[in-house]
Amino acid sequence: MAKPMQLERQEAFEWPVAVYIFFGGFGGALITLSYIFNFFKATGSMVGLAALSGLVFFAIAGLFLVFFDLERPINAIYSLNNVSKSGISWDIVLIVLNYVFGILFVIPEFANISALSGLASALAPYQVIFGAIAAIAGFMFPIISGGLLSAPASIPLWHTPALPLLYLVTSFSLAIAFIGAVFGPEGAVYTAFMGAILALTAITFGISLAYLEHTHNGPIEAKEGMHRMLKTARFVILYPIVGVLFPLVLSAYLFFSGASITWAMPALAIALFFGGFAARNCVVNNGIETYPWPY
């Protein structure tokens, strides 16, 4: 009688993948929010900082993608030969679009710098167009990168539409908390920020429950992968407790009570940062298959 095949943990996707997915989604959310802030005539400092921060985090994502995942910069160029079918190629294209149009979008916000005043004046009439392209690319990055993981049916722990949606929502909740922590908004703006964090965290909670249901009723590989995560103290503490329940309870209290706590926004940003990374890192590391990887 043949022995049952042992499940094996995949080794093609490791922690650098989680890093570039995390920082890329975070950076994309910041650039998208900077465009929204500019559209609603927010202060130039808020628009500029959000866009520049997004570009910095996209740089970190790009470095991890090119040097740690693809191993050589030239591989990023080679991957573009199959853009129509390659998820990695789409990620590279989105990073490039964010960089090119994100820079063109943010330069007019620094027209007061003498060295940039001439270029800023020339770009200002097209700022809305540049920002729209960067915002769309930034918004799409967590969806496409999450879709890259969820595409292979051979890894049931990843094969769910919950991942792209989870990565999108957690990226924006972190970006809002980060901007709130830096600028310390007050009054109606503080309430709006807290309400947005509350809504996005509540959505995160719902997606997490749906994902848990998917793994519980799905193939044995998905169930085993989730069991591994739930047995890992790092995941349980950082994601469900620190990254979801704490922001949900704190933001709900502050939003509905009308109270304002100085440390709340930085605490939310830190909690969402660690929770968001834990969600990506543990999911990547615990994807398993029924056959050795690679085949």
Side-chain angles (χ1 to χ4, degrees):
M1 182 176 178
K3 294 182 179 180
M5 182 169 291
Q6 298 297 316
L7 300 177
E8 295 189 12
R9 176 170 127 20
Q10 62 80 27
E11 297 179 353
F13 289 80
E14 294 292 345
W15 64 270
V17 175
V19 172
Y20 98 72
I21 289 176
F22 175 66
F23 281 109
F26 183 21
L30 283 170
I31 292 175
T32 303
L33 288 175
S34 71
Y35 177 72
I36 295 174
F37 293 155
N38 182 71
F39 184 81
F40 286 100
K41 308 300 181 182
T43 62
S45 59
M46 183 177 288
V47 174
L49 177 75
L52 289 177
S53 299
L55 292 173
V56 170
F57 289 121
F58 254 116
I60 297 173
L63 288 174
F64 271 86
L65 172 60
V66 171
F67 289 101
F68 292 94
D69 186 23
L70 298 180
E71 296 181 351
R72 294 185 302 165
I74 193 65
N75 289 340
I77 299 176
Y78 290 154
S79 70
L80 296 178
N81 293 330
N82 197 22
V83 173
S84 62
K85 299 179 180 179
S86 171
I88 288 289
S89 299
W90 298 343
D91 282 354
I92 293 172
V93 169
L94 291 174
I95 289 175
V96 172
L97 287 176
N98 268 279
Y99 252 92
V100 173
F101 291 99
I103 292 173
L104 293 176
F105 164 71
V106 77
I107 286 177
E109 297 297 328
F110 296 95
N112 58 327
I113 300 177
S114 57
L116 297 176
S117 59
L119 181 59
S121 299
L123 296 176
Y126 312 102
Q127 186 182 22
V128 173
I129 298 175
F130 296 147
I133 296 173
I136 293 172
F139 183 85
M140 291 300 298
F141 186 89
I143 299 176
I144 297 299
S145 59
L148 175 64
L149 284 186
S150 64
S154 58
I155 310 180
L157 182 66
W158 300 347
H159 192 55
T160 168
L163 281 187
L165 185 57
L166 181 66
Y167 292 170
L168 174 68
V169 175
T170 53
S171 294
F172 274 85
S173 60
L174 171 58
I176 293 172
F178 172 79
I179 296 172
V182 172
F183 285 94
E186 300 177 349
V189 178
Y190 179 88
T191 303
F193 271 53
M194 201 59 65
I197 294 172
L198 171 59
L200 292 173
T201 308
I203 294 173
T204 300
F205 182 76
I207 296 171
S208 300
L209 291 180
Y211 185 44
L212 187 63
E213 180 70 12
H214 158 76
T215 58
H216 178 71
N217 295 320
I220 185 63
E221 299 95 328
K223 185 179 296 185
E224 178 64 21
M226 180 56 70
H227 284 173
R228 289 189 183 190
M229 287 194 289
L230 294 177
K231 292 177 182 178
T232 304
R234 181 182 71 251
F235 172 77
V236 174
I237 293 173
L238 291 181
Y239 181 63
I241 297 176
V242 174
V244 179
L245 294 179
F246 171 72
L248 184 61
V249 172
L250 180 59
S251 60
Y253 166 73
L254 294 174
F255 180 75
F256 290 110
S257 68
S260 177
I261 302 176
T262 304
W263 56 262
M265 204 68 78
L268 287 171
I270 293 171
L272 291 168
F273 180 91
F274 284 107
F277 181 72
R280 290 157 176 80
N281 188 43
C282 291
V283 168
V284 166
N285 286 338
N286 287 281
I288 57 175
E289 299 185 87
T290 55
Y291 297 99
W293 179 289
Y295 299 120

